[in-house]
Amino acid sequence: HATLREIKRTPEGIKTAQRAFEEFVTNSDFLLPREVVYTGCGSSHFLSQPLAMATTRLGGRGVALPCSELLYSREYYPVGKPELLVSISRSGETTEAVKALESLDVPKFALTAYESTLSRKADYALIVPTHEESVVMTHSFTAFYFAFLQLLNASFGLETYDAEMTSELTREALKNEGYIREITGEFDFRNVIFLGSGILYPIALEAMLKMKEMALFWSEAYQTFEVRHGFKSVADEGTLVVLLVNEPFDWHEKLTKEFQGQGARVLTIGNGDTGADYFIDLPKVDELLTPILHLPIIQLLSYYKAIKRGLNPDQPRFLSKVVKW
Ligand code: F1P
């Protein structure tokens, strides 16, 4: 399947991202300002969120909104007048992502895989040429995130990440493919809940979307400990709880036990086990890099769930690669 091939191109995507970043800083002396609004649709919106979070974490102020909210309901959000509007779209042709550029009277930046309507309309464009055959966004998400993170670091006078090392770490993460296939083969779960906190919360949201897109499968996502406040009632022996975590602490262990007490099974993905039924051990990296290691794993999980359900993830039902109005 093209989708599986694209997931496996994650290590190559990181290198493509690094080249795109280097080319951008060589050809332009533009630096990102501190107050940035990010926007996108679908996966690109779920990418706008960790980028906004990274901006805030690195000392700026990032706000993320889906394009349609920015266009039609922005007075309900703390948008103000940022110094830059970043519109994200893999295709660069999504109607809302292009139209969103007109929503604020501020400098505009495009993050996309192609010379496109979006890149031409923006004042600046970072083009990361991760051209994907898959309908759903896979390694381009990771590559866009890495390229922009490098630009944030460089703009804020911080050290950039080692791209070779990051690429190698994603290659290691992909080695869990066999284990993920085993889990989906052995446990025919009826629903799945993804949990993540901070920078890993939008990754949980993206995991939820991938499950729906690829496997047509019911999935939810919450900020990790928020799930205890009512939502957990749906978890039972048919549920897989996927805990995306950087460094677990005692609350993660308690949460794991709580779900196991309800009969659910827990898959922990992170730097340390929580007493889970399934565990994928990730190396310790800078917190802002953790999404890059989690993403290929949650994409593989959705892919193998689709296979288990006899579906073709290359042809997701009712979806198209570019959404136009
Ligand atoms: C946005 C998007 C994708 C999604 C689906 C429909 O596309 O929502 O994230 O996977 O295929 O389109 P784009 O604006 O990033 O090209």
Side-chain angles (χ1 to χ4, degrees):
H1 285 125
T3 307
L4 183 60
R5 278 201 303 279
E6 299 296 1
I7 296 170
K8 288 185 174 178
R9 288 175 71 198
T10 305
E12 174 194 327
I14 298 294
K15 291 184 187 174
T16 307
Q18 178 67 14
R19 277 195 300 275
F21 155 69
E22 283 172 8
E23 220 168 278
F24 183 88
V25 290
T26 311
N27 296 331
S28 135
D29 43 22
F30 172 78
L31 293 178
L32 292 170
R34 304 250 156 192
E35 305 242 331
V36 184
V37 167
Y38 296 89
T39 194
C41 302
S43 288
S44 289
H45 168 54
F46 291 147
L47 171 59
S48 76
Q49 296 187 27
L51 288 180
M53 286 176 168
T55 304
T56 303
R57 176 73 206 276
L58 295 176
R61 190 169 159 276
V63 172
L65 273 189
C67 298
S68 49
E69 290 298 285
L70 190 59
L71 282 164
Y72 300 114
S73 299
R74 66 179 166 277
E75 56 280 14
Y76 290 95
Y77 299 95
V79 170
K81 196 170 189 304
E83 295 168 279
L84 188 72
L85 170 62
V86 177
S87 184
I88 308 166
S89 170
R90 176 181 61 173
S91 60
E93 301 298 340
T94 297
T95 305
E96 287 149 86
V98 173
K99 205 167 155 56
L101 284 180
E102 292 155 23
S103 62
L104 301 177
D105 186 19
V106 301
K108 287 141 184 101
F109 190 107
L111 177 56
T112 176
Y114 300 90
E115 290 267 2
S116 52
T117 308
L118 188 75
S119 74
R120 283 187 291 272
K121 282 204 168 175
D123 304 295
Y124 311 94
L126 174 54
I127 298 177
V128 184
T130 42
H131 300 163
E132 291 178 321
E133 254 184 80
S134 52
V135 171
V136 303
M137 225 172 148
T138 55
H139 78 277
S140 62
F141 187 112
T142 323
F144 284 17
Y145 177 72
F146 187 74
F148 204 89
L149 202 53
Q150 294 290 63
L151 188 57
L152 275 172
N153 279 324
S155 300
F156 291 5
L158 303 166
E159 224 177 284
T160 55
Y161 295 108
D162 181 337
E164 284 295 322
M165 187 204 73
T166 309
S167 168
E168 202 39 51
L169 289 176
T170 61
R171 195 180 301 285
E172 289 294 317
L174 283 164
K175 288 188 181 157
N176 290 292
E177 183 183 353
Y179 184 48
I180 292 162
R181 194 171 43 208
E182 249 172 61
I183 298 171
T184 53
E186 158 196 308
F187 181 27
D188 196 10
F189 50 91
R190 284 196 304 269
N191 47 45
V192 57
I193 301 175
F194 293 99
L195 303 175
S197 177
I199 199 87
L200 289 175
Y201 172 55
I203 306 310
L205 290 169
E206 170 63 3
M208 167 201 67
L209 178 61
K210 287 283 93 84
M211 250 322 152
K212 287 176 176 154
E213 287 183 323
M214 284 193 215
L216 301 180
F217 195 70
W218 194 260
S219 53
E220 303 194 356
Y222 300 101
Q223 283 114 331
T224 305
F225 301 116
E226 184 59 15
V227 75
R228 298 183 69 229
H229 300 277
F231 310 101
K232 65 170 185 147
S233 61
V234 298
D236 59 17
E237 63 290 337
T239 303
L240 177 68
V241 178
V242 183
L243 189 51
L244 310 178
V245 61
N246 184 26
E247 282 189 77
F249 53 91
D250 57 342
W251 279 22
H252 294 95
E253 284 166 31
K254 284 190 196 167
L255 188 65
T256 300
K257 278 211 184 78
E258 193 164 324
F259 275 118
Q260 288 167 336
Q262 292 182 212
R265 293 193 212 176
V266 179
L267 160 61
T268 293
I269 308 172
N271 180 231
D273 194 3
T274 64
D277 302 84
Y278 307 104
F279 172 51
I280 292 179
D281 194 5
L282 293 179
K284 189 172 159 44
V285 291
D286 186 277
E287 215 174 333
L288 294 185
L289 281 183
T290 53
I292 293 178
L293 303 188
H294 281 84
L295 279 160
I297 292 172
I298 56 97
Q299 290 166 1
L300 284 170
L301 187 68
S302 301
Y303 175 81
Y304 279 107
K305 186 63 179 174
I307 299 302
K308 170 84 176 174
R309 284 163 56 76
L311 299 166
N312 179 359
D314 287 353
Q315 284 165 352
R317 189 173 67 164
F318 308 140
L319 292 186
S320 55
K321 213 166 173 179
V322 183
V323 177
K324 296 205 172 183
W325 280 96

